[in-house]
Amino acid sequence: MDAVGLSLGNRVPSNRIVINFWERTHSTSFGTSRPQKVDFGKVCSYGNVTLRKQGGALEVLQCRNSLSEAGSSLEEKYGSGSSVRKNLAVFVSGGGSNFRSIHNASINGLIHGDVVVLVTDKPGCGGAEYARDHNIPVIQFPKSKYSLEGLSPTDLVISLRKWKIQYILLAGFLKLIPTELVQAFPRSILNIHPSLLPAFGGKGYYGLKVHKAVIASGARYSGPTVHFVDEHYDTGRILAQKVVPVLANDTAEQLAARVLCEEHQVYVEVLSALCEDRIVWREDGVPLIRSRENPDEYN
């Protein structure tokens, strides 16, 4: 569930971020035409995304899309609204690039919420290091057989309540969310998955495994899905999706990169609506995003 941090015009520093493909999530917006691959040894360009291979991971050197080219317009479209800022908790297991994207969007006014705590099952991961570097407290969950510092589900709920958390955002967190947490935060936990759910979701579908399965199936389209979290993997109500093409000669890495940037954009869009109280629930339990410009229209 994780992606790269993007540069929103001149508003957000463009950081190099390592993508570990065992994380869940990736995205990138390409045009519908087939991207040209340019290989410079370990550095490869796939359309709008420049990647460098480093062992089992790829480092994003540059990612250009509608999000990175329109920082000010994104702020106008997604950033203004409710004056009450929401307290957010982000859960990660790896590099945390979606977490970094969310944090950058927060400090640059694209969403009316603040990441006040990070929860991770791997306290040494890149996402946790980023949190510490930015003075965001880190909580370990769940307990590990290698460490006694992790919290139990009950203690985690208590801790999050002390932080006055209103929304929980999964950004590459690979553990199943316990029932205690789902019940304590109803309709308040979001996840992003790198396929068009309900296809290619569930236990075992994360990182490159998702993209390999999409390509092997012959699917012509893929893309990220933002959904609410229930007690199971990837089965909660769908809130938003973005569509990207699956090209004839795609590798899993190329498709992952294409989905990557779209994840960042759609997560920011959803969080903007969430923090502005623009999520409404249809009578049948389906969540919709109300338009800010026209309250009678829904996405």
Side-chain angles (χ1 to χ4, degrees):
M1 290 178 203
D2 234 44
V4 296
L6 302 181
S7 174
L8 304 181
N10 295 322
R11 306 184 62 82
V12 181
S14 60
N15 297 321
R16 298 186 193 177
I17 297 170
V18 174
I19 309 169
N20 293 310
F21 280 110
W22 45 264
E23 297 177 16
R24 300 173 84 165
T25 281
H26 297 292
S27 74
T28 296
S29 179
F30 279 64
T32 55
S33 61
R34 178 179 174 182
Q36 186 81 21
K37 175 182 176 182
V38 182
D39 198 332
F40 302 97
K42 291 187 177 181
V43 178
C44 299
S45 175
Y46 296 104
N48 292 332
V49 182
T50 303
L51 305 170
R52 177 166 61 197
K53 297 180 181 179
Q54 290 187 328
L58 292 183
E59 183 180 20
V60 174
L61 303 181
Q62 190 173 32
C63 180
R64 302 185 304 276
N65 69 350
S66 58
L67 184 61
S68 61
E69 294 169 355
S72 59
S73 62
L74 265 179
E75 183 170 359
E76 293 174 0
K77 185 174 182 181
Y78 306 127
S80 61
S82 171
S83 60
V84 179
R85 297 184 69 84
K86 302 296 194 296
N87 288 338
L88 311 174
V90 180
F91 286 42
V92 305
S93 290
S97 55
N98 259 323
F99 161 45
R100 301 174 195 224
S101 177
I102 291 167
H103 181 246
N104 282 335
S106 171
I107 62 179
N108 284 278
L110 300 181
I111 60 175
H112 285 279
D114 299 299
V115 180
V116 299
V117 64
L118 181 90
V119 177
T120 181
D121 59 320
K122 299 179 180 179
C125 70
E129 292 176 0
Y130 177 89
R132 296 186 191 99
D133 289 343
H134 291 80
N135 299 313
I136 299 173
V138 176
I139 294 175
Q140 184 177 341
F141 172 82
K143 288 184 177 180
S144 167
K145 61 181 179 180
Y146 304 108
S147 173
L148 299 178
E149 297 180 1
L151 299 182
S152 68
T154 299
D155 289 338
L156 178 61
V157 170
I158 293 172
S159 182
L160 293 177
R161 292 206 185 283
K162 287 181 179 179
W163 286 104
K164 299 181 179 179
I165 296 300
Q166 289 151 294
Y167 296 110
I168 295 170
L169 314 172
L170 308 188
F173 189 70
L174 300 184
K175 298 291 185 180
L176 186 65
I177 299 301
T179 300
E180 295 93 327
L181 196 61
V182 175
Q183 293 178 347
F185 291 88
R187 294 182 172 180
S188 301
I189 307 176
L190 287 177
N191 178 43
I192 188 162
H193 182 76
S195 75
L196 296 173
L197 293 176
F200 309 105
K203 187 175 182 179
Y205 278 100
Y206 58 89
L208 282 185
K209 293 182 178 181
V210 173
H211 306 296
K212 288 178 179 178
V214 170
I215 292 171
S217 74
R220 300 312 197 257
Y221 297 95
S222 189
T225 298
V226 178
H227 65 95
F228 283 93
V229 173
D230 58 19
E231 292 87 351
H232 308 285
Y233 285 110
D234 304 325
T235 58
R237 295 288 189 168
I238 293 171
L239 182 56
Q241 294 180 312
K242 293 286 186 178
V243 177
V244 302
V246 180
L247 304 181
N249 296 316
D250 266 344
T251 65
E253 289 83 1
Q254 287 172 307
L255 181 57
R258 193 172 305 121
V259 176
L260 185 64
C261 294
E262 290 294 338
E263 285 192 19
H264 285 175
Q265 182 166 338
V266 71
Y267 224 169
V268 169
E269 292 176 12
V270 167
L271 293 181
S272 174
L274 192 70
C275 292
E276 295 170 14
D277 301 318
R278 290 191 288 111
I279 307 298
V280 297
W281 292 81
R282 217 165 58 187
E283 290 184 0
D284 59 357
V286 172
L288 303 171
I289 299 176
R290 188 177 66 243
S291 168
R292 182 191 295 125
E293 291 77 16
N294 187 347
D296 294 326
E297 293 183 357
Y298 299 90
N299 298 323

